[in-house]
């Protein structure tokens, strides 16, 4: 027998400053885009139509931002989080150069923080992961931190280093695609009459629609991203976990919440940044997802009168409509139906 | 809070002659075609092979006709039928210019009839919906009528206008793709030895094969078409409806019946028109579909000796084989297993 | 009524030397490749990245070898095995010219053997099936034999002819893609540090990962291959069979086993031949698949120092991890959890 199969890195395998090149390189295609539509029902015009993309000054329809996120994230899983007890959070996620069919994505991560937990059997690993295209241009950059098991509980603790993380990506750091213009934005074709000017901080939007999840769907999505985290695929092992179920990849929940948000945010055509996110509780096949959003902040973009940025907080719930905006209670405890809380920044056209 | 989410038009929102441009534009791709094959199992050679398409004089493999139908139909759903109590019927559906990967489809509808029902709480809306490619060429044109709720039962009734609808699209109105020729039609490669000459009006064909439906499949198909009708996706709401189930999009049933019809009609390579259709009863995941067809009529095409038209009536059943051609009983009541009755016109090569 | 639907060939329909051209021609696309990834989770870099393929001297990313196998095999089903009682085996399967998106595949079979069984009601048909691209170049060639029903038990037996079949495709007969070089093979990007030199005959590898199967997944895969074998799709008929379940297409199990084998065999980038295979017992939706492999033999390739061949035996199990390599017992009886035993030859880079 041999030990050629890889069982993932443990806490003591990571060192501060370490850089890890991830497998598997991926040439993205119109096939990936079609599957993303079939799996999420997304209707944002920019990603759906080459002609609409051209009307915004782009060469063709770029891949959905979250599809890019999942592909890059998926590459990091075997090296970073295969032995994760928990995905604790992510921050400073910034989308770069748009990704077009035919581009080839690769990814690498740098270890930017380490902290052994007090129990001594696990530790927190902080990484910065970057996805690049075939020209080496960054398409995505994010930080995340995961709680990882130690292989040997007796292994010495590394020096503690906890990186400082911004609460949100600053407006000046957002990447605007080269050539992007909303001067001729066709809101009717895009499917929403609401522009940047029409939203107000504090405004809450119930997205109204709903989507019931199936095992085959989340498995296909997660495999499309070549994400190998076993909890999404192995029902035999799941029979013995505390849920008894395969856990839906949190990114699939993000994508469904984003697709549901079209109804109310149909012109928010690009996610420019994800400031933070929490998978509040696990989602399983059979759950019906709903979503609502709160406008946290509106930001002007320097020198741009055709588009603005908007910071949003979108919550997804399971088996519970969002007409009354389920959220934290007085003690700050999340409503038990909430499965996702996502803080992100979108680009949206102005009336000019 | 806000009301940015769109909840669809109600009966009093429609006016005679009104024209509605629909979101979301869509560039169709080989990804859509591959998914259509995976979701329906269709085997018509024209849509499967660029070389076969070239042998018929076409530039490459066009998208399946029903895939085009579903994409255009899906665009009309948010504006026309989100508050529909029932989809009452469709007629005069004519397929135009073939659609190739890379084409961008948009759609618009014109209100051609209105009729408040006697109860006064609903009304029938008749629309003509047109799908066009990026050059503005019509790829599809159809009429349909839906029973829509009124927002305000007290709203005044519009003047009644009921359009005249043809029983079938006339042979002279069928669109033949430019350059189409069946002179070198390779029936062996297409998978069927039967030509136009071999069919006789009144002939009935049991297609023999069967297909069991899964939730993930019909949801993926319906999302691929960006069709947002909630009854297909929301199990939580379905728990309270009279079926307790998500309802399969009727168009998916049409596609499966068409795919099953390959066995017996394998050379009927193009749907030129849909003369009418009825979704006799709802279909749910777990049902096994069967289909049979009746040849209603054979039509010569002016000036063409290489191909002819054939008007067909295809019935799909659930959980019931079709060896004995289940149909209406003596009183005209449909067999309870029948879920679909489709009257359409196909192009099929002649022996020449 | 008519008998236009085709019900497949019976034993007496086959004659020695007969050649059958199969329907349906298929232009393969990036859509097919994306679906294959979504359905299997395969991560071999060659099929995932155009840039990686270019680094190996190929023009772009070829389709996965097993995807090609399933497409060609699927074409042969309606003509060869629709009335098969059992798929008895296959041998001498050799992969030829790589298949790229845009290629059009067709297939034909030659009857190379016939043997009526002693009962007289069935017979074994041996065929050689070849898949070719649009230039007529062979992309795949294999032999298989199936037990087929007779239509008329009284039909006379044909002369018995049983072809000789090699135990394995010889190293000299393997097809190396033109231009293929592993001189600059990037093992880190490919996701595995193990080269040809690192494996030893007799070595056994537990691939560790697991995948639970869903009905929608195997149905979509099998339809993607335009494989019409009814046992995979018809639950109504399955209610009356001895399993009460739709049977997962054995080829889907092969693909999942191959995808699982990435973990331990990640550099085995091309299947050059399948020497033989057995679907030991049926697989159903809900089963969780595991896999392990044994290195049977290592072969040098004449004149090549950059890559070698390796003969493998991969076993897949259902609902049973493979840490202890479940296999035959002392009497040669397969472990009841084993569903697949595949003997095949891969190309893998050498350290040079």
């Amino acid at each position: 027998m041999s030990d050629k199969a890889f069982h993932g890195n443990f806490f003591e395998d990571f060192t501060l400053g370490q850089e890890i090149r991830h497998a598997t390189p991926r040439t993205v295609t119109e096939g990936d885009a079609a599957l993303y539509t079939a799996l999420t029902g997304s209707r944002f015009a920019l990603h759906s139509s080459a002609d609409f993309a051209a009307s915004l000054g782009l060469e063709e329809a770029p891949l959905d931002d979250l599809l890019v996120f999942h592909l890059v994230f998926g590459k990091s899983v075997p090296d970073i989080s295969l032995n994760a007890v928990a995905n604790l959070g992510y921050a400073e996620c910034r989308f770069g150069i748009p990704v077009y069919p035919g581009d080839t994505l690769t990814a690498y991560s740098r270890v930017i923080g380490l902290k052994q937990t007090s129990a001594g059997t696990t530790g927190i690993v902080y990484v910065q992961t970057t996805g690049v295209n075939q020209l080496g241009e960054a398409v995505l950059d994010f930080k995340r931190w995961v709680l990882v098991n130690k292989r040997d509980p007796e292994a010495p603790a590394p020096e503690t280093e906890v990186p400082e993380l911004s609460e949100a990506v600053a407006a000046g750091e957002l990447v605007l695609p080269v050539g992007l213009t909303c001067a001729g934005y066709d809101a009717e074709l895009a499917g929403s009459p609401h522009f940047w000017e029409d939203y107000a901080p504090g405004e809450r939007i119930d997205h109204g629609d709903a989507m019931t999840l199936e095992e085959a769907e989340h498995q296909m999505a997660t495999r499309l991203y070549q994400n190998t985290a076993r909890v999404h695929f192995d029902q035999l092992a799941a029979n013995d976990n505390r849920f008894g179920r395969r856990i839906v990849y949190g990114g699939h929940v993000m994508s469904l919440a984003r697709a549901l948000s079209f109804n109310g945010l149909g012109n928010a055509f690009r996610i420019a940044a994800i400031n933070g996110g929490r998978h509040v509780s696990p989602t399983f096949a059979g759950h019906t997802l709903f979503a609502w959003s709160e406008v946290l902040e509106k930001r002007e973009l320097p020198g741009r009168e055709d588009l603005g940025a908007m910071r949003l907080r979108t919550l997804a719930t399971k088996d519970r409509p969002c007409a009354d905006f389920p959220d934290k209670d007085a003690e700050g405890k999340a409503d038990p139906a909430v499965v996702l809380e996502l803080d992100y920044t979108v680009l949206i056209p102005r009336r000019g």
Side-chain angles (χ1 to χ4, degrees), chain A residues 28-234:
Chain A
V28 297
T29 69
E30 292 173 341
D32 298 319
L35 267 162
Y36 191 79
T37 300
L39 289 165
T40 68
S42 183
R43 289 182 286 146
F44 291 94
L46 172 63
H47 307 295
S48 184
S49 163
D51 286 17
F52 195 89
S55 79
L56 300 192
L58 302 186
E59 52 192 271
E60 57 182 309
L63 292 199
D64 191 282
D65 307 301
L66 292 181
L67 171 51
V68 172
F69 178 85
H70 302 324
L71 287 168
V72 172
F73 184 96
K75 290 181 198 324
S76 79
V77 165
D79 295 318
I80 307 300
S81 49
L82 216 55
N83 296 309
V85 183
N87 286 292
L88 298 177
Y90 34 98
E92 297 184 19
C93 171
R94 203 169 52 137
F95 291 86
I97 298 281
V99 177
Y100 298 105
D103 284 353
T104 297
L105 302 184
T106 54
Y108 57 88
S109 296
R110 201 158 52 83
V111 179
I112 58 170
L114 290 170
K115 186 187 174 190
Q116 182 163 310
T117 53
S118 52
T121 57
T122 57
I124 301 174
V125 181
Y126 298 79
V127 296
Q128 174 165 13
T129 298
T130 305
V132 298
N133 65 17
Q134 67 282 2
L135 302 174
E137 299 165 326
V139 300
L140 179 68
D141 199 272
F142 62 87
K143 293 173 180 166
R144 69 167 172 137
W145 51 108
V146 292
L147 184 67
V148 178
N149 277 322
K150 288 173 77 174
R151 182 185 291 108
D152 170 13
E154 306 302 317
E159 203 152 330
T160 293
E161 169 78 32
V162 175
E164 256 184 85
L165 298 167
S166 310
E167 190 226 340
V169 177
E173 287 174 5
L174 301 177
V175 176
L176 301 193
V178 174
L180 177 69
T181 172
C182 291
Y185 191 88
D186 186 337
E188 197 176 38
L189 202 54
S192 167
H194 311 300
F195 285 79
W196 185 81
E197 288 83 351
D198 304 324
Y199 294 87
E203 182 176 350
R204 296 187 296 179
I205 304 161
D206 169 21
H207 299 302
D209 297 321
M211 188 61 70
T212 302
L213 277 163
E214 299 295 325
E215 300 281 12
E217 294 171 359
H218 77 82
Q219 290 198 152
M220 285 185 70
T222 310
R223 282 188 301 244
L224 182 67
Y225 313 140
Q226 296 175 313
N227 179 331
T228 60
R230 192 163 168 170
V231 291
H232 310 312
F233 300 116
D234 182 351

Side-chain angles (χ1 to χ4, degrees), chain A residues 215 235 237-246 284:
Chain A
E215 300 281 12
Q235 184 56 48
N239 288 342
D240 295 329
N241 73 21
R242 66 195 152 124
F243 307 117
R245 306 289 304 276
R246 281 163 277 175
F284 306 114

